[in-house]
Amino acid sequence: MKIGIYGGAFNPPHLGHITAARAVFELLKLDKLLVIPTGHPPHKTLPPGSPGPERRLEMTRLAMAGLGDWMEISDMELRREGNSYTADTLARVKERYPEDELWLLMGADMFLTLQAWREPERILSLAGVAAFGRTEADTEELFSVQRDFLYRTYPQARIFTLTIPGVVDISSTELRERLARGEGGGLLAPAVYGYILRERLYGTAADLKSLPLEQLRPVALSCLHPRRVPHVLGTEQEAIHLAERWGADVDKARRAALLHDCTKKLNLEEQLAVAERFQVPLDEMERREIKLLHAKTGAGIAEAVFGTDWEITEAIRWHTTGKGHMTLLEKVIYLADYIEPTRDFPGVAELRKRCYENLDAGLLLGLEMTIREMEERGAPIHPKTLEARDALKG
C-alpha cells in the first residue's frame, strides 16, 4: 500500500491545501493519505492569537471532508509534547505501517530547505518526497537544482515533483490578514469559513444573530457532520420551491432549513446539556429519543445563538414530529425535510407530487407514512404526530 503523509500548521486550511492533497493522491496513485496538523512546528512560531490545536484539527477535518475514504485526519502530532519533528512523525507512521511505502507531501518552500531540517537523511530513508509547486515559477527550474543536490547528498532519496495547475496561490499569512478585513471567504471550504465566523477566529467579528444568508449557510454547514451536508442543502432548495409554490416567506424558509439539523451530530448527553443550558422544555419521549430531541435543541440554538424569530424557531422545533394546526412555514419545513432530493424511500415520488398539488394533503400523507412506519417497527409514536394527523383529518 502507498501512503501519503501531508503535514502542516493548517492555520487555516484553505482550498490550496485541498487541491494539492487531491492532485498528489491521484498522480502518485496513493491508497491512503494521512493529513497531520502540526502541534508545535519547530521551524516557526504560530502567530499570536492562532487557534489552539483542537480548533485547527476541527478546521482540517471540515476542509478535507468529502474527499473520500482514502483520507484520514490524524492528531498524532497534536497529542505529542514538545516540537513536532517530521522524522519522528514518519517513524511513528512506519511503525504503524511497517510493510507499506510512505510518501511525504510538501510545498515548494519546504522542499527547497529540506536539507536544513532535523535528520534529513532519516526522513529520506523512511519516505519518498512528493513536492508540489503552486505556480509555474515555483517548479522546474528551482526543483531540478534541488533534486540534483538531494540525490547527490542522499543517494537513497526518492523524489517526485509536480506543478498543480489551478491551485489557489495564497499564503496562510495573507489569508489570515484578509479574513481580519472581512475578506477571503471564497478561498476556504464553506464549512471552514463558517467555523471561522462561528468561533470568531482570525479577527473576524460576525454577529451570529444577524447573519446574511451567504454567511449563515457556511456557518450552518460547519455545525454538521459532513455526510449530512447534502441533506441540509437539499432541504434548503426544497424549502425554496415549496415556499414559492404556497406563498411562504422564502428567506425564513431558507434560514429554517439551513438550521433545522444544527445539533444533529451531538450525542444524547450533549443534546440534553444543550436543552438544559437554553431551558428547552422536553417531554419524556424526547429525552430518550435523539431523533426527536435534535429538533428541540436545534430550535433552542437557532433562537439563542442565531437570533431566529418565533416563526423560524417553531418551524425548526416541529420539523420532526409535526403538531396540530401547524403554520404555513412549519408545514413547509416539515415537508422539505421529508422530500428533499436526496431522500429515496418507497412512496417518496407520490409524496412529492402530492405536496405540490395540495400542501395539506401532502402533509397528511407524510404524517400517515411516518405513523405506519413506526407501527411496523413497533416504535412509539409521538403524541404530537398523532395530533397533527387528527387535526388535518378534522
Side-chain angles (χ1 to χ4, degrees):
M1 187 163 67
K2 293 174 71 174
I3 301 173
I5 297 98
Y6 188 15
F10 300 118
N11 187 28
H14 53 68
L15 295 182
H17 296 127
I18 300 169
T19 306
R22 183 187 291 112
V24 177
F25 176 85
E26 293 173 352
L27 289 168
L28 273 178
K29 295 181 171 56
L30 299 174
D31 299 294
K32 177 187 281 289
L33 181 61
L34 294 176
V35 179
I36 308 176
T38 49
H40 302 281
H43 60 287
K44 63 181 178 181
T45 302
L46 294 177
S50 291
E54 289 304 320
R55 283 176 162 173
R56 285 192 290 115
L57 180 65
E58 180 63 16
M59 285 192 289
T60 305
R61 285 176 175 147
L62 292 171
M64 302 297 176
L67 289 185
D69 293 338
W70 48 268
M71 174 75 63
E72 179 182 331
I73 310 298
S74 171
D75 64 352
M76 67 168 63
E77 289 200 359
L78 299 178
R79 289 185 283 104
R80 182 191 306 159
E81 295 183 0
N83 287 335
S84 300
Y85 290 107
T86 300
D88 297 336
T89 298
L90 288 176
R92 288 191 61 189
V93 175
K94 194 65 178 175
E95 289 176 4
R96 181 178 171 188
Y97 300 101
E99 304 300 322
D100 297 309
E101 180 182 330
L102 305 184
W103 284 87
L104 179 64
L105 281 60
M106 64 181 68
D109 51 350
M110 295 291 99
F111 178 63
L112 296 175
T113 61
L114 181 57
Q115 64 274 14
W117 293 20
R118 185 186 189 189
E119 300 184 276
E121 185 171 7
R122 185 180 176 212
I123 290 171
L124 292 166
S125 69
L126 289 167
V129 170
F132 50 86
R134 294 183 294 191
T135 66
E136 293 293 338
D138 278 343
T139 50
E140 193 50 38
E141 185 175 352
L142 293 172
F143 278 2
S144 62
V145 174
Q146 178 71 343
R147 272 200 315 269
D148 291 344
F149 170 79
L150 292 175
Y151 282 138
R152 288 196 309 271
T153 310
Y154 310 103
Q156 82 277 23
R158 292 172 292 133
I159 299 171
F160 180 83
T161 59
L162 69 155
T163 301
I164 303 176
V167 72
V168 174
D169 185 24
I170 187 170
S171 70
S172 293
T173 300
E174 182 183 350
L175 180 52
R176 290 192 295 269
E177 292 171 352
R178 288 195 189 186
L179 288 167
R181 298 196 302 266
E183 305 167 1
L187 299 170
L188 298 159
V192 175
Y193 181 48
Y195 184 85
I196 289 169
L197 293 177
R198 180 159 60 90
E199 298 294 323
R200 295 182 173 91
L201 305 180
Y202 306 116
T204 58
D207 181 359
L208 298 183
K209 291 190 174 183
S210 59
L211 291 173
L213 270 169
E214 61 268 19
Q215 289 188 334
L216 179 63
R217 184 179 295 102
V219 169
L221 297 183
S222 76
C223 299
L224 304 172
H225 189 285
R227 69 172 177 267
R228 185 150 294 272
V229 169
H231 164 69
V232 168
L233 293 178
T235 301
E236 181 194 10
Q237 291 306 306
E238 199 68 53
I240 292 171
H241 299 323
L242 286 169
E244 290 175 341
R245 173 68 178 88
W246 299 110
D249 187 305
V250 174
D251 182 84
K252 290 185 177 185
R254 296 177 72 178
R255 290 175 182 275
L258 287 168
L259 293 172
H260 81 284
D261 277 352
C262 65
T263 61
K264 185 79 171 183
K265 75 175 183 180
L266 303 182
N267 61 34
L268 183 64
E269 183 179 350
E270 292 168 332
Q271 297 249 10
L272 291 172
V274 169
E276 182 176 357
R277 177 182 176 187
F278 295 108
Q279 299 182 325
V280 178
L282 302 172
D283 60 34
E284 285 306 309
M285 188 180 295
E286 289 162 349
R287 288 185 177 277
R288 297 192 308 269
E289 301 289 338
I290 196 166
K291 185 176 181 180
L292 303 179
L293 182 54
H294 85 277
K296 302 304 189 290
T297 56
I301 290 287
E303 182 179 36
V305 176
F306 297 104
T308 55
D309 66 16
W310 176 87
E311 194 174 6
I312 296 172
T313 302
E314 292 302 294
I316 296 170
R317 190 184 312 279
W318 301 111
H319 83 267
T320 300
T321 62
K323 69 178 182 69
H325 309 291
M326 296 166 72
T327 66
L328 176 58
L329 186 63
E330 289 166 359
K331 295 174 184 178
V332 164
I333 298 305
Y334 180 94
L335 289 170
D337 176 53
Y338 211 141
I339 66 171
E340 55 88 9
T342 71
R343 297 290 199 192
D344 184 18
F345 55 85
V348 68
E350 175 59 27
L351 179 57
R352 288 188 180 117
K353 179 173 178 288
R354 191 79 60 89
C355 288
Y356 285 91
E357 292 175 344
N358 183 299
L359 189 65
D360 281 352
L363 180 59
L364 178 58
L365 177 59
L367 291 163
E368 290 178 333
M369 290 172 70
T370 296
I371 292 168
R372 184 164 59 251
E373 178 191 358
M374 301 301 281
E375 288 175 339
E376 290 172 353
R377 288 166 47 194
I381 302 166
H382 196 277
K384 289 293 184 181
T385 304
L386 299 172
E387 175 186 288
R389 179 201 61 183
D390 293 345
L392 286 167
K393 295 178 75 170

